[in-house]
Amino acid sequence: MDEKHALWHHQPESEVIERLATHVKDGLSEAEVDERRSRFGENRISQQKPVPPWLRFLRQFHNPLIYILLVATAVTLLLAEYVDAGVIAAVVLANAIIGYVQESKAEAAINALREMLSSRATVIRAGRKLTLPAVELVPGDLVLLASGDRVPADLRLIKAQDLQVDESALTGESVAAEKQVAILAADAVLADRTNQVFAGTLVTYGQATGVVVATGDTTETGKIAHMITEATVIDTPLTQKISAFSKLLLWVILGLAAVTFLVGMVRGQDIVDTFMAAVALSVAAIPEGLPAVVTITLAIGVSKMASRNAIIRKLPAVETLGSTTVICSDKTGTLTENRMTVQQLLSGGATTEVKGNHDETGAALHREGQSVSVADDVALRELLLCGTLCNDSRLVEKNGHVQTEGDPTEGALLTSAAKAGFSHADTEQANPRLDTIPFESDRQYMATHHRLADGRPVIYLKGSMERVLARCQQQLLADGSLAPLDAKAVETVAHRFAAEGLRLLAFAAAYPEQGSENLAALRENSQDNLVFLGLQAMMDPPRVEAIESVAACQQSGIRVKMITGDHALTAEAIARQIGIKGKLGEDGRLLAYTGAQLSAMDEATLYRVADEASVFARVAPEQKLQLVNALQQRGHVVAMTGDGVNDAPALRQADIGVAMGITGTEVAKEAADMVLTDDNFASIRAAVEEGRGVYDNLIKFITWILPTNLGQGLVIMLAVLIGATLPVLPVQALWLNMTTAIFLGLMLAFEPKEAGIMARPPRDPGTAILSREIVSRILVISLFLLAGAFWLFQWALESGRSVEEARTLAVTLFVVVQSFYLINCRSLNLSAFQVPLFSNPLVPVGILLMLASQLLFIYSPTMNLLFQSAPILWQDWLLILGYGLVVFLLIEGEKSLWVRSRKVIIPAPASRR
């Protein structure tokens, strides 16, 4: 289908019928249907060949960290250490199972999309009206739509009667779209194509006939499914850094083992002993506990985030949040309340502010800072009464919140009246309705006829400002008198309201003097002497907590951008109220770019605009994807929020996709990494905070664990180089690595967040996982371990102690130094004396458990047999503990000097939580 055919909204109905070779009354013949089905296929989204479960499971082992563990498992099996091999293998298996369960996003998202398509459709074929499965539709079919129908394919409308369609899942527009059949501009974006309806959307009102212009994969929904599969899944910062770190570590370990083996051979040492030394070095240097602790730390983060209304679907997403530099947020429901609320009133020539949120009632009307009563202002009372009576919706209370049953705009009118003391039920009962002219798109108004409590008849009317003003000659004043209508003054106020992003409804009345006995004159369009009552201006207001959270994010160096399907003026006004920062235009307002403007940009301009601007309106699904990609190309770590089908490709492309749990479609949830259970931007801010805490704890653990492995490796390598006996055996290295990782290192995963964590700027995605200062600290501790363990081992041998005792001393020194160093690592900047010991009670518990385990290692005959250890003297303990304390104090001194040299500002430790 060529480009001209794709612009169905830009072609008149007659040309659409002609190009699709169908008939406006009879539709397609059965022969034509068969021919087109063979050419275009069924009306369903293609399903990619799924990855077999066994292959998906095997893919979980394709990771450098897992390679290291598999090597460790193989080595321990060769050493016949079956218990240790079983423990390491269990860690590998646990990682694989977790990854297998968490994976699956694209396939599940497309399955959810497939379910969106209508199961049945009403069509006209060969002049007969048929109801058939939607999968049988072909281009050119005539489809009949009615209220409640789900649109079965993309249609170009040829007839429409008051048709309204909920396209929120596809366009992001919260208000139902009014449809018509007139030709539109070629560059009309998806949300503005009012002469088309799209597969998967829902008819909420009216009837229509349309001709199928796209089916299956060629529908807008099908294109989104394709974009989901094509979206590049970006590795998280943690995944990238751990992967690179693990590869480096793998080659360093293998290189050191090879050097150790070669040196031993050159020195003429026994080949078996030399090989075992190389094996011992490999086992000692491999951080077996690293993958397990990384997984557990992330899982703890998942639990913490769940308590703060953020459900994580993919473990690495926990840490990604802490790296986020840009949050691209939808507007409706995330930054706003997703409930229309009247903000301003115009009556009797004066404006009145309506305060309070959707749930609040009572005195809330203010003019120039003073409370206003409807008892003192006839025009204001009539304006609110009109909004209450010319209304088909009602307010109900559910779960402690006031909700609208019916049209959201009418619900806002009822709420504004309730704030002034009007009860909808009581008002309707006192002023019964006699007749109605329902709203229709060609009239642009609704009118109702009532018998007032005093017996007088009245007609109330509400609708678009242009249509209502055209029917009015007078306006009602505050004292109840009538005056000539000053239309220009009304239009001036209306423009000011519109500039603030408010949507307007105008109100009028016909009293007995204007002829209010019935609606006949209005029906005949002959009544143009109505009394103008005023305007009610409304919007979906910003969430209070969103304003606070956006400010907190921006103070943290995280940029917030709004990407919405709403109009540019509304989007800019909301962004301004929320406090979103960005490039300003010549008029001092935030620059807001529309989808049409983005389409006209080249790649370089799009990348620049995506980075500079903060508000994007009326954007198509593919443009959301382009904006996310543009930001990633500029080096940002992007979090993207969304709730509709149209958001799914961008959610999948983003470094972390955030879906709405309440209003979000299943497609969006399946494509996302995280789901917000309260649809609140404040929960994103909370999740970012938790993510930063998780990353801090991972860095603390890596900083703590590497000296153990490096120190053991250096001890073994030095022994080979000088031809000495090995101070640590492979089985002892495994004991040391596994027990210290579990009882000591794992406790760092439970460290509370440090004070000022959200005052820091986001981490630069390009920086190394460990800073130069931390690497230096790791090397210093490793050298302390090397010097202490090797000296203690040699001293014991020279003192006539057995080799088993000497090795036990070396292993115990590692345990004690690592226990002291654990306290150092609770904060990489703060002094350990500034961190309350019991702010993480698991640290002292872990140290006690490690001490108990080491006592078993030393004094249990069974453990002596299994690990070739031996009892040591109490004097040995004093020597080892003293050495550990010295190392602890030296590291604290190094931290203090580093903080002073870098002039690091450290917030008060009391805020740790």
Side-chain angles (χ1 to χ4, degrees):
M1 191 174 292
D2 62 33
E3 183 62 23
K4 187 172 183 181
H5 280 207
L7 299 176
W8 298 110
H9 61 280
H10 186 53
Q11 301 171 36
E13 306 96 287
S14 57
E15 187 174 339
V16 173
I17 294 294
E18 181 182 346
R19 289 186 177 279
L20 290 169
T22 187
H23 193 276
V24 71
K25 289 185 178 180
D26 297 335
L28 300 173
S29 68
E30 290 301 330
E32 289 171 323
V33 169
D34 292 339
E35 185 274 330
R36 296 186 188 201
R37 186 175 296 118
S38 64
R39 184 151 49 111
F40 296 106
E42 291 188 324
N43 178 33
R44 67 169 78 244
I45 296 173
S46 299
Q47 185 172 6
Q48 289 193 330
K49 186 177 180 181
V51 178
W54 62 269
L55 181 57
R56 190 183 303 165
F57 183 72
L58 287 180
R59 283 180 177 176
Q60 308 307 315
F61 297 91
H62 183 52
N63 182 299
L65 282 177
I66 302 303
Y67 298 157
I68 293 174
L69 288 185
L70 290 173
V71 170
T73 303
V75 169
T76 49
L77 281 172
L78 287 173
L79 296 172
E81 299 296 336
Y82 301 116
V83 173
D84 295 315
V87 170
I88 301 171
V91 171
V92 173
L93 190 61
N95 276 283
I97 291 172
I98 291 171
Y100 177 78
V101 170
Q102 294 286 340
E103 197 183 82
S104 69
K105 294 170 34 168
E107 183 180 343
I110 292 171
N111 287 338
L113 270 172
R114 204 172 290 115
E115 293 300 319
M116 279 194 63
L117 294 182
S118 174
S119 57
R120 307 288 292 178
T122 302
V123 302
I124 296 175
R125 283 183 180 169
R128 292 182 299 131
K129 183 177 177 181
L130 305 171
T131 300
L132 43 76
V135 294
E136 296 182 11
L137 291 180
V138 297
D141 261 327
L142 282 183
V143 177
L144 304 179
L145 296 174
S147 180
D149 287 347
R150 190 169 291 279
V151 180
D154 286 3
L155 311 178
R156 169 64 162 91
L157 298 175
I158 57 176
K159 292 181 183 178
Q161 181 179 355
D162 304 321
L163 185 68
Q164 295 182 21
V165 180
D166 179 2
E167 296 181 336
S168 58
L170 193 62
T171 65
E173 178 61 71
S174 56
V175 178
E178 296 178 9
K179 298 294 184 176
Q180 48 83 42
V181 298
I183 190 171
L184 299 172
D187 61 354
V189 296
L190 190 69
D192 292 332
R193 294 178 190 172
T194 55
N195 59 10
Q196 282 190 264
V197 290
F198 305 100
T201 58
L202 184 67
V203 178
T204 60
Y205 191 81
Q207 298 175 329
T209 302
V211 60
V212 175
V213 295
T215 58
D217 291 339
T218 60
T219 63
E220 294 299 327
T221 303
K223 292 174 186 175
I224 290 172
H226 179 69
M227 283 191 283
I228 292 174
T229 62
E230 292 296 311
T232 304
V233 180
I234 306 295
D235 282 341
T236 68
L238 178 69
T239 304
Q240 294 171 346
K241 291 175 182 177
I242 290 288
S243 178
F245 174 71
S246 300
K247 288 175 182 175
L248 175 64
L249 192 60
L250 180 62
W251 288 112
V252 168
I253 291 170
L254 293 176
L256 289 176
V259 168
T260 301
F261 182 75
L262 290 174
V263 168
M265 294 299 295
V266 169
R267 293 178 60 89
Q269 296 175 359
D270 180 77
I271 188 170
V272 174
D273 291 343
T274 305
F275 177 74
M276 290 306 295
V279 167
L281 187 148
S282 300
V283 172
I286 291 173
E288 290 89 351
L290 181 57
V293 172
V294 167
T295 300
I296 292 169
T297 304
L298 293 175
I300 292 169
V302 168
S303 177
K304 289 182 178 179
M305 288 183 184
S307 68
R308 301 185 75 173
N309 302 311
I311 305 299
I312 299 297
R313 299 184 63 252
K314 188 177 181 184
L315 279 180
V318 175
E319 182 276 333
T320 309
L321 278 162
S323 310
T324 300
T325 60
V326 175
I327 299 175
C328 296
S329 178
D330 189 20
K331 176 182 71 69
T332 306
T334 309
L335 294 171
T336 64
E337 294 182 0
N338 196 23
R339 290 187 294 191
M340 296 301 290
T341 305
V342 174
Q343 306 282 306
Q344 297 280 355
L345 304 172
L346 171 66
S347 62
T351 58
T352 303
E353 183 181 4
V354 184
K355 295 188 175 181
N357 62 32
H358 188 89
D359 291 339
E360 293 175 0
T361 58
L365 306 182
H366 294 266
R367 189 178 295 160
E368 297 179 353
Q370 300 296 317
S371 179
V372 179
S373 171
V374 293
D376 303 324
D377 192 321
V378 176
L380 181 60
R381 182 178 63 81
E382 282 293 292
L383 173 64
L384 295 172
L385 185 62
C386 178
T388 301
L389 294 176
C390 190
N391 199 310
D392 287 332
S393 300
R394 67 192 187 101
L395 299 178
V396 296
E397 187 170 335
K398 292 182 179 179
N399 301 321
H401 295 284
V402 178
Q403 298 182 6
T404 300
E405 283 191 356
D407 183 77
T409 300
E410 291 191 330
L413 300 178
L414 295 177
T415 302
S416 67
K419 291 176 187 291
F422 286 97
S423 164
H424 185 212
D426 293 344
T427 304
E428 278 194 322
Q429 186 175 1
N431 307 278
R433 184 185 299 188
L434 307 175
D435 197 2
T436 303
I437 297 178
F439 178 89
E440 290 187 3
S441 55
D442 59 340
R443 277 195 298 263
Q444 292 292 305
Y445 68 79
M446 172 186 177
T448 54
H449 186 213
H450 298 267
R451 179 72 61 187
L452 297 178
D454 60 9
R456 292 183 304 139
V458 67
I459 293 172
Y460 284 129
L461 180 144
K462 75 169 189 285
S464 69
M465 190 182 74
E466 294 78 8
R467 294 295 179 92
V468 173
L469 280 179
R471 290 182 172 275
C472 296
Q473 295 180 0
Q474 298 174 295
Q475 64 182 15
L476 185 65
L477 300 181
D479 61 4
S481 63
L482 299 180
L485 174 63
D486 186 351
K488 287 188 177 180
V490 173
E491 289 170 355
T492 299
V493 174
H495 286 313
R496 177 163 58 84
F497 286 166
E500 296 172 5
L502 300 174
R503 293 179 176 177
L504 307 178
L505 272 181
F507 299 81
Y511 301 107
E513 297 82 359
Q514 290 80 35
S516 58
E517 277 69 32
N518 57 60
L519 296 175
L522 269 179
R523 286 195 172 97
E524 296 168 3
N525 289 320
S526 61
Q527 188 166 12
D528 58 3
N529 64 336
L530 300 180
V531 176
F532 180 71
L533 300 179
L535 300 175
Q536 295 204 44
M538 64 194 71
M539 73 186 314
D540 179 11
R543 289 176 179 260
V544 175
E545 58 270 35
I547 296 173
E548 298 169 353
S549 298
V550 166
C553 286
Q554 291 177 154
Q555 288 169 5
S556 304
I558 301 170
R559 296 165 63 185
V560 180
K561 297 178 184 291
M562 179 193 291
I563 303 178
T564 178
D566 212 335
H567 295 280
L569 196 61
T570 304
E572 189 277 337
I574 292 290
R576 205 164 7 97
Q577 290 183 36
I578 290 173
I580 291 177
K581 298 176 182 178
K583 189 174 181 180
L584 302 179
E586 294 180 357
D587 59 357
R589 294 177 178 272
L590 285 170
L591 279 177
Y593 289 91
T594 64
Q597 291 173 311
L598 296 177
S599 297
M601 295 178 184
D602 58 34
E603 187 176 82
T605 304
L606 178 65
Y607 284 10
R608 177 179 57 78
V609 167
D611 202 10
E612 292 178 350
S614 297
V615 182
F616 303 91
R618 305 304 270 179
V619 292
E622 63 271 16
Q623 290 171 327
K624 292 189 176 187
L625 188 63
Q626 290 167 0
L627 286 170
V628 170
N629 181 61
L631 289 167
Q632 289 172 333
Q633 294 300 319
R634 300 277 284 198
H636 290 290
V637 176
V638 182
M640 171 76 190
T641 77
D643 56 5
V645 175
N646 60 324
D647 298 318
L651 289 174
R652 182 159 169 77
Q653 173 73 35
D655 296 276
I656 177 161
V658 183
M660 304 298 111
I662 300 172
T663 60
T665 61
E666 289 304 312
V667 182
K669 293 176 188 176
E670 292 295 344
D673 303 283
M674 182 174 85
V675 178
L676 301 183
T677 59
D678 60 353
D679 290 12
N680 196 333
F681 188 89
S683 296
I684 302 176
R685 188 258 182 196
V688 168
E689 185 179 15
E690 292 295 343
R692 290 187 174 190
V694 165
Y695 187 86
D696 280 0
N697 289 348
L698 285 173
I699 297 303
K700 291 173 185 177
F701 173 77
I702 293 172
T703 303
W704 174 85
I705 197 173
L706 288 185
T708 302
N709 301 106
L710 183 58
Q712 288 179 79
L714 290 174
V715 165
I716 293 169
M717 193 171 183
L718 179 62
V720 172
L721 289 175
I722 65 175
T725 304
L726 291 181
V728 178
L729 295 174
V731 69
Q732 294 171 338
L734 276 173
W735 161 265
L736 190 57
N737 289 349
M738 296 305 292
T739 54
T740 56
I742 293 170
F743 294 128
L744 299 179
L746 183 58
M747 302 305 115
L748 291 173
F750 298 91
E751 273 299 305
K753 296 183 293 294
E754 294 192 23
I757 196 168
M758 286 299 287
R760 306 190 309 227
R763 295 188 309 276
D764 182 351
T767 57
I769 193 168
L770 297 175
S771 67
R772 185 179 302 174
E773 291 80 5
I774 296 301
V775 171
S776 299
R777 190 177 300 169
I778 289 171
L779 291 174
V780 168
I781 287 291
S782 300
L783 291 175
F784 276 133
L785 287 169
L786 167 65
F790 202 84
W791 169 80
L792 193 59
F793 176 76
Q794 293 297 329
W795 171 80
L797 291 180
E798 291 171 4
S799 301
R801 311 276 283 272
S802 69
V803 69
E804 287 80 11
E805 283 184 272
R807 283 173 174 155
T808 303
L809 287 171
V811 171
T812 304
L813 182 133
F814 269 94
V815 169
V816 169
V817 172
Q818 283 298 90
S819 297
F820 276 108
Y821 185 48
L822 179 71
I823 300 173
N824 291 127
C825 287
R826 292 191 62 198
S827 175
L828 300 181
N829 298 321
L830 282 173
S831 166
F833 300 107
Q834 293 179 272
V835 180
L837 180 62
F838 291 99
S839 62
N840 180 4
L842 290 178
V843 167
V845 170
I847 292 173
L848 290 175
L849 289 174
M850 186 66 243
L851 178 61
S853 300
Q854 191 62 18
L855 289 173
L856 285 174
F857 177 87
I858 297 171
Y859 299 109
S860 166
T862 303
M863 298 292 278
N864 294 159
L865 182 63
L866 288 172
F867 292 98
Q868 300 181 45
S869 57
I872 60 175
L873 304 174
W874 66 268
Q875 294 92 336
D876 298 330
W877 278 102
L878 292 177
L879 185 63
I880 293 170
L881 288 169
Y883 188 80
L885 180 60
V886 169
V887 172
F888 168 78
L889 294 174
L890 288 172
I891 294 300
E892 285 303 306
E894 180 269 336
K895 278 202 290 186
S896 177
L897 289 174
W898 177 74
V899 169
R900 289 178 184 175
S901 67
R902 296 292 296 271
K903 296 182 179 179
V904 177
I905 298 174
I906 301 174
S911 298
R912 283 170 63 93
R913 58 195 189 281

